[in-house]
Amino acid sequence: MSRLTDLRFRAATSFQRRINPVLRRLPSQTVVETRGRVSGLPRQTPVGGRRVGDSFWLVSEFGERSQYVRNIKADPRVRVRIRGRWHTGTAHLVPDDDPVARLRLLPRFNGLGVRAFGTNLLTVRVDLDT
């Protein structure tokens, strides 16, 4: 990993540690809840994404380095809070999807943040239980 990539990752995670506790309390903020791969405790991460039919799509800005993606790899069962309502589902990493094209279909504000900080984009699809 290059020094610049590592610096961007550290800056983004430092910022997220401060802002995420505030964001996940906002009822309008979309949140993905995973199970901690070591602790087994629920971990909530504010995300941007969009529901399309029975799936919820998002793009991880740091790919498999993101903690919530590492948790998904260990246990793909997740919950997603969309517009204040919780949905259960199964998350899938979609490395063959074009994350830049996917960002164009997601909320613009999220796309700006992911593009600004992102270094290793990865698409994630959550198949929601009906």
Side-chain angles (χ1 to χ4, degrees):
M1 181 178 323
S2 76
R3 181 178 156 95
L4 178 60
T5 300
D6 190 51
L7 183 61
R8 288 173 77 183
F9 176 77
R10 289 174 187 257
T13 55
S14 176
F15 173 76
Q16 289 169 344
R17 271 191 215 109
R18 288 171 177 78
I19 194 73
N20 283 356
V22 174
L23 289 177
R24 69 177 163 241
R25 288 189 182 107
L26 299 174
S28 61
Q29 176 65 50
T30 302
V31 174
V32 169
E33 183 179 85
T34 60
R35 185 81 35 205
R37 64 193 172 282
V38 175
S39 69
L41 297 173
R43 302 294 183 202
Q44 294 183 349
T45 305
V47 296
R50 174 163 285 143
R51 183 175 183 165
V52 179
D54 288 336
S55 296
F56 181 80
W57 293 85
L58 66 118
V59 175
S60 167
E61 66 229 285
F62 294 112
E64 294 188 20
R65 270 188 94 182
S66 296
Q67 296 298 319
Y68 73 92
V69 171
R70 294 171 75 187
N71 290 342
I72 287 170
K73 286 177 74 174
D75 181 2
R77 293 296 300 164
V78 300
R79 290 192 326 150
V80 183
R81 186 179 72 196
I82 306 168
R83 295 186 185 122
R85 185 166 173 242
W86 286 101
H87 305 269
T88 59
T90 303
H92 304 277
L93 307 182
V94 191
D96 295 336
D97 190 61
D98 180 357
V100 175
R102 180 69 55 190
L103 278 173
R104 288 188 212 111
L105 303 173
L106 300 181
R108 185 166 272 152
F109 179 73
N110 172 254
L112 292 173
V114 171
R115 281 189 201 95
F117 291 116
T119 57
N120 189 19
L121 304 179
L122 175 67
T123 302
V124 179
R125 182 189 79 237
V126 178
D127 294 332
L128 303 172
D129 299 337
T130 54

